[in-house]
Amino acid sequence: PAPEPEPERRPGFFGRMFGQTEEPRRILDDAMLESLEEVLIQADMGVETALRVTANIAEGRYGRRVSSREIKEALATEIARILEPVARPMPLYPSRPQVVLVVGVNGSGKTTTIGKLASQFRAAGKSVVIAAGDTFRAAAVEQLQVWGRRAGVPVLTAPEGSDPASLAFDAMTKAQAEGADLLMIDTAGRLQNRTDLMEELSKIVRVIRKKDPDAPHNTLLVLDATTGQNALSQVEIFRKLADVSGLVMTKLDGTAKGGVLVALADRFGLPIHAIGVGEQIDDLAPFDPEEFARALMG
Ligand code: GDP
């Protein structure tokens, strides 16, 4: 039988730019710094962050001979240093239920992430209730029901077009009555009318606070890594619409654009709780800055 083909090793941006092999030592000069900046920007790190990272790399090395491995390792260290403070799992609170409000634009992966999280919490022995708060999108509600079945978690729904806040209130009442550990609330992601969306989100918050003044305990913003720098503007927009407490970055499988995470960490300092690495229920991983930085370097 033919030997198994070698698994393809997809080089990260550094690998693509500088090759995988050890190069002869080159002088770290302006030209090298410029090409470093360029690869960082290409990897979606954003200009500001790219400039700062390369400036830090240059410190103590400028004009010296360096190997490509030294630069690669220095970059990984520098990037991990930026990511380290934001890599934090979602904090858990003793409230019953602790409420997780999930926000983000349509298509970012909210439904999928809720399903994956619900499954993880179930596996940890916690009881979970999901509220399908995007009542205007029938497809979204159906999709959430599919995920609920997969995760073994009840999904509360309301008639199409009905008030999401009223559903949230009912879900809160039910979750409290059942002593559920977690209530996860999906929300609409229509940015076309931001005033409406803001009103909708703040009404949800208002009504659940009638039942628990500390709720929501977490407000997760779900971002799609493949949207690159758009993720930055989405954080800015959603921070105005809701009290975002942490991020989940989806679709980090199959994108070379993961650098946006570095830009996000650098710019906002919001905790990154988890990353989506596929479409299956187990494809939600804790965010490991060291591993991520190395993978990004390729
Ligand atoms: P929502 O509109 O924000 O609720 O987004 P969905 O959860 O419906 O996700 C939109 C699409 O992205 C679906 O096709 C998902 O399967 C896909 N998706 C979500 N998360 C990931 C991920 O981490 N990796 C990949 N490859 N696809 C994802």
Side-chain angles (χ1 to χ4, degrees):
E4 286 278 310
E6 283 277 308
E8 195 188 336
R9 203 169 155 270
R10 210 165 56 85
F13 70 84
F14 193 88
R16 282 195 306 279
M17 183 76 183
F18 290 90
Q20 299 282 19
T21 51
E22 186 68 0
E23 287 174 34
R25 289 161 80 83
R26 280 173 26 191
I27 298 272
L28 180 64
D29 55 8
D30 288 342
M32 193 200 256
L33 285 177
E34 236 166 76
S35 46
L36 279 176
E37 273 159 29
E38 206 170 293
V39 277
L40 296 178
I41 291 165
Q42 266 174 29
D44 249 334
M45 220 165 275
V47 177
E48 226 175 280
T49 309
L51 289 178
R52 201 130 52 76
V53 167
T54 42
N56 289 350
I57 297 296
E59 210 167 299
R61 290 191 184 87
Y62 191 80
R64 257 185 45 205
R65 283 190 184 279
V66 290
S67 70
S68 118
R69 172 182 304 183
E70 178 184 348
I71 293 301
K72 188 162 147 172
E73 278 171 9
L75 278 173
T77 306
E78 199 56 44
I79 287 168
R81 207 177 52 80
I82 294 175
L83 295 175
E84 210 80 59
V86 302
R88 260 175 284 145
M90 189 172 82
L92 296 178
Y93 299 90
S95 308
R96 279 183 179 224
Q98 62 163 310
V99 181
V100 182
L101 190 66
V102 183
V103 302
V105 298
N106 290 339
S108 61
K110 283 191 302 292
T111 310
T112 310
T113 301
I114 290 172
K116 291 170 176 175
L117 278 172
S119 165
Q120 288 189 355
F121 285 121
R122 286 288 295 135
K126 305 216 177 285
S127 54
V128 184
V129 173
I130 294 174
D134 189 358
T135 58
F136 285 86
R137 272 200 314 162
V141 174
E142 274 165 34
Q143 203 45 40
L144 204 50
Q145 284 172 317
V146 171
W147 277 106
R149 276 197 291 279
R150 278 183 201 146
V153 166
V155 177
L156 305 183
T157 62
E160 194 173 340
S162 63
D163 183 4
S166 144
L167 171 67
F169 186 81
D170 291 348
M172 189 71 184
T173 308
K174 189 172 155 66
Q176 275 183 340
E178 288 178 359
D181 295 307
L182 268 120
L183 169 61
M184 301 180 63
I185 305 176
D186 189 18
T187 62
R190 303 176 306 274
L191 277 186
Q192 293 84 343
N193 191 334
R194 282 181 212 172
T195 324
D196 278 2
L197 186 55
M198 186 187 307
E199 191 43 52
E200 189 170 317
L201 293 174
S202 51
K203 192 168 170 197
I204 292 174
V205 169
R206 223 159 45 232
V207 302
I208 57 177
R209 282 196 180 148
K210 285 189 186 158
K211 302 238 120 210
D212 180 350
D214 295 331
H217 304 82
N218 286 286
T219 299
L220 295 189
L221 172 59
V222 177
L223 298 168
D224 174 346
T226 64
T227 65
Q229 295 292 297
N230 273 336
L232 295 170
S233 47
Q234 283 174 24
V235 174
E236 259 153 18
I237 292 166
F238 273 94
R239 284 227 292 195
K240 291 187 189 124
L241 300 179
D243 193 8
V244 174
S245 60
L247 309 175
V248 174
M249 179 67 77
T250 66
K251 309 186 199 180
L252 275 167
D253 49 310
T255 177
K257 299 257 175 182
V260 69
L261 248 87
V262 187
L264 281 167
D266 200 27
R267 168 103 61 101
F268 300 106
L270 280 166
I272 298 169
H273 295 317
I275 57 173
V277 291
E279 299 186 80
Q280 305 303 312
I281 200 157
D282 292 327
D283 293 333
L284 186 75
F287 180 52
D288 180 336
E290 194 92 16
E291 190 187 306
F292 187 84
R294 288 197 182 283
L296 199 59
M297 293 300 110

